[in-house]
Amino acid sequence: MTTTESRPPADGPAERSAPVVRTTAGAVRGRREEGLAVFRGIPFAAPPVGEARFMAPRPAPTWDGIRDTHAFGPPPPQDLGLMGGPGLFDVPQGDDWLTVNVWTPDPDPAARRPVMVWIYGGAYKLGHAGSPGYDARHIATDGDLVVVSLNYRVGMEGFAHIEGAPANRGLLDQVAALEWVRDNIEAFGGDPEQVTVFGESAGAGSVASLLAMAGTSGLFRRAIAQSVPGTFFSAELARDIGTALAAEMGLRPTVADLSSVDPRRLTAAGEALGPKMPQYLDRWGQAAPTVTPFSPVVDGEVLPTTPWRALAAGAAKDVDLLVGHNRDEYRLFIAMAGQLGKITDERASAALRLFAPGPDGEAAYRAAFPDASPSELYERVQTDWLFNMPSLHLAEAQRAGGGSAYLYELTWPAPGNGGALGACHGLDIPLLFGTFGADLGALLFAGAEPPAEAEALSSRFRLSWTSFARTGDPGWPAYDDERRLVQVLDAEPEVRAYPEEASRRLWEGYDFAPLPLL
């Protein structure tokens, strides 16, 4: 047993009342905050450096004494070019990236409360469980349950194709964290048999992947996927992109070559290649304009097939699924590029030709949306291709495989920028967590006090999500192929037939196959 430095308890009453829990690796001391016991930065795996670099996660070292778990663990090395901002990573630095955080009403093993495990998004190239926007206290308090968040490797460390390394290392990290939950969460007052995984964007793509992976059986009972991206790489495409990534550093895509570069410097490969990806349109096809060189890889081993095919074959029929999307997902990215209202008909046509399904996709979209402007067509087809139709089809695949699925759409517009961003990508995060002034919420709510209807919608989000975690029922009917009932989340929420019927018909029968190398 190795020893980790730990401070002896002080004489004050605060330290004496601080919660202490014994995990499989050693005892941890958290803090009491606003009626909760909170533990931050608990290692669930060994630091993935040295001989462990680019390998599957290994067990965390054990320690003697009591380890203070008051601070979030360091973020994994990553590209901060997308949405990184001041204060986002104001956390300790180091190599102990693979940590979990726990919010619990009471660390009593007899309590056996439902457990929700959060997986962050960030285009598979950035993210950190300690980000202020993921403060889970409102979810834990309102739902009277235990919330866990986790770090996983992103970018080069977690998802790049590297010869001699397993694929999808970031997904393997998530599995290791869920195994930690299985083995330890009862001591924190949670029920290991009532675990719900939930995530947004790349986190939702991770949740969908976990549903398709063979090694996850029994690790969770329910799953919530918010804005599932349809981008999964074929092994051939991942290998080609991996070669280009390594070439940015003047190296080969091998463990031997890339291990020679410090993890915090290796992020430069993704940062350099991303803006150049549109130049590879003839090789990488639909992946090229995403400027995101990382996605889960359908490698046949870690991830045997796409989530849609796996679910349709019944892989997750015993897992309750809640899935949905936001109406105006892609508008955020248009705004971040400074292109709102500036899309020409030529650019709209190019996007329609590349992303719309079928040989006559552009004509079909123009016929389905005859009054749409070039900007609206450009946004609509990319919203549908990247998030909305993958999310809808995941629910349909779950139904086809014999399971149940609940579907939602968020239509309430973000108040920031005069409402110009609409119900854009990421708006569901501050609404769910109640963190209106943090991270992306600061942009979407423009730093102002959230209106009363935002507070009400935020409470409804948490009520539905935590009810689903507790019972498998979020409070509206399950999706079916006849009525297609969906919870529409707006100032006045309602249950109605799927609102994006025109898009649904355009994409009916489409297979979100792994993106190929052309």
Side-chain angles (χ1 to χ4, degrees):
M1 176 178 284
T2 60
T3 301
T4 298
E5 180 181 352
S6 60
R7 292 193 298 257
D11 292 333
E15 282 295 336
R16 286 200 300 269
S17 66
V20 175
V21 171
R22 178 161 292 280
T23 74
T24 51
V28 294
R29 176 168 40 231
R31 287 178 171 170
R32 299 205 179 272
E33 301 176 7
E34 301 181 31
L36 298 171
V38 183
F39 303 79
R40 297 180 173 91
I42 307 172
F44 68 82
V49 295
E51 292 184 357
R53 183 97 179 269
F54 304 125
M55 296 294 109
R58 301 178 178 183
T62 58
W63 60 85
D64 293 321
I66 300 175
R67 181 181 185 129
D68 284 332
T69 53
H70 299 162
F72 291 112
Q78 57 194 265
D79 174 1
L80 294 181
L82 184 63
M83 285 187 284
L88 183 58
F89 297 112
D90 185 17
V91 292
Q93 297 301 304
D95 297 329
D96 215 348
W97 315 324
L98 302 183
T99 59
V100 294
N101 317 293
V102 182
W103 291 258
T104 177
D106 182 18
D108 176 5
R112 296 186 69 86
R113 288 177 168 87
V115 181
M116 298 185 72
V117 180
W118 171 251
I119 302 175
Y120 52 72
Y124 305 105
K125 64 181 181 179
L126 73 143
H128 177 224
S131 183
Y134 304 147
D135 185 337
R137 57 182 167 170
H138 296 304
I139 299 176
T141 299
D142 291 3
D144 189 33
L145 42 68
V146 180
V147 182
V148 177
S149 64
L150 61 97
N151 278 355
Y152 62 95
R153 283 173 284 182
V154 294
M156 293 293 292
E157 302 295 322
F159 288 95
H161 173 85
I162 301 173
E163 294 175 22
N168 302 305
R169 298 171 297 279
L171 298 180
L172 294 176
D173 292 344
Q174 296 166 18
V175 174
L178 287 168
E179 291 172 342
W180 182 94
V181 169
R182 177 196 61 199
D183 297 339
N184 292 280
I185 205 62
E186 187 173 353
F188 292 86
D191 184 350
E193 297 179 1
Q194 288 268 26
V195 174
T196 298
V197 289
F198 68 128
E200 183 268 350
S201 195
S206 297
V207 168
S209 300
L210 291 168
L211 290 167
M213 292 166 65
T216 61
S217 178
L219 293 179
F220 55 91
R221 182 171 178 177
R222 301 185 176 99
I224 303 174
Q226 303 168 212
S227 305
V228 181
T231 49
F232 284 70
F233 290 169
S234 67
E236 296 77 17
L237 177 62
R239 186 176 299 112
D240 206 59
I241 294 177
T243 299
L245 284 163
E248 291 291 341
M249 309 293 289
L251 299 170
R252 297 170 302 165
T254 65
V255 169
D257 272 26
L258 296 177
S259 291
S260 67
V261 183
D262 183 276
R264 291 160 192 81
R265 285 192 55 243
L266 193 58
T267 60
E271 293 168 1
L273 181 63
K276 300 177 184 176
M277 287 181 65
Q279 301 172 19
Y280 291 81
L281 187 64
D282 61 334
R283 290 182 64 79
W284 300 344
Q286 292 175 326
T290 67
V291 301
T292 301
F294 310 105
S295 275
V297 181
V298 180
D299 66 317
E301 296 181 14
V302 175
L303 187 59
T305 187
T306 63
W308 300 274
R309 292 180 182 176
L311 267 60
K317 65 182 179 181
D318 296 326
V319 177
D320 300 324
L321 176 63
L322 169 59
V323 59
H325 55 71
N326 306 345
R327 181 186 58 203
D328 312 310
E329 295 270 7
Y330 201 75
R331 195 174 304 176
L332 174 69
F333 305 104
I334 300 174
M336 290 171 60
Q339 295 296 304
L340 276 182
K342 299 178 182 179
I343 304 299
T344 64
D345 196 60
E346 183 180 12
R347 287 188 66 188
S349 288
L352 289 166
R353 288 194 300 271
L354 183 60
F355 296 113
D360 301 316
E362 179 182 4
Y365 255 85
R366 290 186 181 276
F369 302 97
D371 300 322
S373 67
S375 288
E376 289 168 339
L377 287 169
Y378 181 85
E379 176 189 322
R380 182 77 264 154
V381 71
Q382 293 189 83
T383 287
D384 287 344
W385 172 77
L386 189 54
F387 295 114
N388 288 15
M389 295 304 106
S391 300
L392 170 66
H393 283 210
L394 196 70
E396 293 179 339
Q398 177 72 336
R399 284 267 306 153
S404 66
Y406 296 85
L407 192 63
Y408 75 88
E409 182 180 51
L410 173 62
T411 56
W412 184 80
N417 296 284
L421 293 175
C424 68
H425 189 66
L427 176 59
D428 46 317
I429 296 175
L431 287 171
L432 173 60
F433 284 86
T435 50
F436 301 105
D439 304 342
L440 190 58
L443 169 66
L444 300 179
F445 289 84
E449 284 293 317
E453 62 186 33
E455 295 280 11
L457 186 55
S458 180
S459 294
R460 176 174 283 269
F461 255 98
R462 288 192 293 279
L463 175 62
S464 297
W465 266 230
T466 58
S467 294
F468 179 77
R470 189 175 297 279
T471 68
D473 183 354
W476 64 86
Y479 185 81
D480 62 45
D481 299 330
E482 297 177 3
R483 297 183 298 167
R484 304 187 191 282
L485 293 181
V486 173
Q487 173 69 71
V488 177
L489 293 162
D490 211 315
E492 296 293 336
E494 63 173 333
V495 176
R496 51 171 291 199
Y498 184 62
E500 312 304 336
E501 179 64 10
S503 294
R504 187 195 70 79
R505 288 184 175 277
L506 288 169
W507 291 84
E508 197 165 22
Y510 182 83
D511 177 22
F512 283 93
L515 297 179
L517 176 67
L518 301 182

